[in-house]
Amino acid sequence: MTVKGFFEGGVASIVAGCSTHPLDLIKVRMQLQETHILRPAFALHAPTPVPPPPPSGPISVGVRIVQAEGVAALFSGVSATMLRQTLYSTTRMGLYDVLKRHWTDPEQGTMPLSRKITAGLIAGGIGAAVGNPADVAMVRMQADGRAPAAERRNYKGVFDAIRRMSNQEGVGSLWRGSALTVNRAMIVTASQLASYDQFKETILGNGWMEDGLGTHVAASFAAGFVASVASNPIDVIKTRVMNMKVGAYNGALDCALKTVRAEGPLALYKGFIPTVSRQGPFTVVLFVTLEQVRKLLKGF
């Protein structure tokens, strides 16, 4: 049963990750946009007005990517996404399932929300530590197209990215931003998996819907929104730290402070619309697929 839980979660995660990859790529590109605000400590005259940046919404960013790099660019780094889901999501989904089985009240068949959150924090943290190399590779491959041609890394695939990072920057570079990745994964897993179970139990418990596709879609979309709100700030910092040139930031806190000082607090919610647009469909596909896989494997 334990191995089965890992397999079911892994299959669902890979399907969800690949199907929503273009939205994730747009989110990464938007999070890497830097809009510097002039904030002089002392000024004898008003600063020179800075012309407004070009439109940077998710649709305009997606259109510019297609125009400049082609439709295939929307799937840049998809091999890294598959490896990431195989390592990270398989681990977190499987561990959450194990903890859920152990902590569920055998008489009532339910688990308190506090235990769901705790299970999500544990499973997400361990999963992120396992999958961090693929996460770094994915971010770099997704972001490569926005750099000038002479500065692009031009990785041939996820394993080429991991090999070159190890050779050129040291093995430690594969865990760059790992503290952020672990923290984000703990928040996402706790908010996503725990809230899905909680929303589903609430819907079924109140008799609003039967246990079917409608319930799974409603509970998963609500869980995706909760996860987006909770994780977006740390996701912005994680993306910038992973994609940075050596020495650009002195850690995650330095990156966060520089981002807020230069661009304002709302910079931590850059890419929020594509995050919700991606996290919603991702969570829906994830849990709908998971429920269907569970039905198919019910007799095993």
Side-chain angles (χ1 to χ4, degrees):
M1 293 296 290
T2 301
V3 175
K4 182 181 170 186
F6 280 89
F7 178 79
E8 292 168 345
V11 170
S13 299
I14 291 170
V15 171
C18 291
S19 61
T20 59
H21 183 82
L23 294 171
D24 193 48
L25 183 140
I26 291 172
K27 177 203 73 174
V28 167
R29 295 285 182 94
M30 291 183 69
Q31 289 176 340
L32 290 172
Q33 291 174 349
E34 297 183 8
T35 308
H36 295 284
I37 301 173
L38 196 57
R39 300 176 185 273
F42 300 97
L44 299 176
H45 55 80
T48 304
V50 179
S56 56
I59 295 177
S60 61
V61 170
V63 169
R64 288 205 299 270
I65 291 172
V66 172
Q67 289 175 340
E69 306 168 47
V71 176
L74 293 174
F75 286 90
S76 296
V78 72
S79 60
T81 291
M82 293 182 68
L83 180 61
R84 176 179 180 268
Q85 296 299 339
T86 301
L87 297 175
Y88 158 62
S89 286
T90 299
T91 303
R92 73 174 183 129
M93 298 288 285
L95 284 177
Y96 182 81
D97 187 63
V98 170
L99 294 172
K100 184 178 174 181
R101 290 176 185 276
H102 279 81
W103 290 351
T104 295
D105 187 327
E107 295 182 1
Q108 298 182 355
T110 59
M111 183 168 67
L113 180 59
S114 59
R115 288 192 177 183
K116 292 173 186 169
I117 293 173
T118 303
L121 292 172
I122 294 171
I126 295 174
V130 172
N132 201 81
D135 207 359
V136 177
M138 182 187 72
V139 168
R140 290 193 174 194
M141 292 172 74
Q142 288 178 332
D144 210 31
R146 68 186 291 274
E151 298 178 15
R152 291 179 186 173
R153 298 178 173 106
N154 294 319
Y155 296 131
K156 296 176 182 177
V158 60
F159 295 109
D160 178 54
I162 291 173
R163 178 185 62 80
R164 284 172 54 186
M165 278 190 284
S166 300
N167 293 340
Q168 297 170 5
E169 303 171 47
V171 176
S173 67
L174 298 176
W175 274 270
R176 179 173 292 163
S178 58
L180 284 166
T181 305
V182 168
N183 289 334
R184 175 189 176 276
M186 291 172 71
I187 292 171
V188 168
T189 305
S191 56
Q192 186 185 64
L193 301 188
S195 60
Y196 173 76
D197 281 343
Q198 194 66 32
F199 283 128
K200 183 180 174 183
E201 286 177 11
T202 301
I203 292 171
L204 296 176
N206 287 289
W208 295 338
M209 296 183 190
E210 295 182 356
D211 190 3
L213 183 61
T215 297
H216 303 157
V217 170
S220 57
F221 195 84
F225 183 80
V226 171
S228 299
V229 173
S231 66
N232 202 87
I234 198 167
D235 197 29
V236 170
I237 303 305
K238 175 186 78 76
T239 297
R240 294 191 174 193
V241 169
M242 285 183 169
N243 189 60
M244 73 175 183
K245 300 293 183 182
V246 177
Y249 301 116
N250 187 25
L253 181 60
D254 181 52
C255 177
L257 292 174
K258 286 180 178 177
T259 298
V260 172
R261 286 171 184 165
E263 305 170 54
L266 289 179
L268 296 177
Y269 274 90
K270 278 191 172 182
F272 180 70
I273 298 301
T275 294
V276 174
S277 301
R278 183 258 179 187
Q279 193 70 258
F282 174 87
T283 310
V284 169
V285 175
L286 173 67
F287 286 113
V288 169
T289 304
L290 180 63
E291 298 282 4
Q292 297 306 310
V293 172
R294 282 174 175 169
K295 285 183 181 180
L296 288 173
L297 300 179
K298 192 173 182 179
F300 291 90

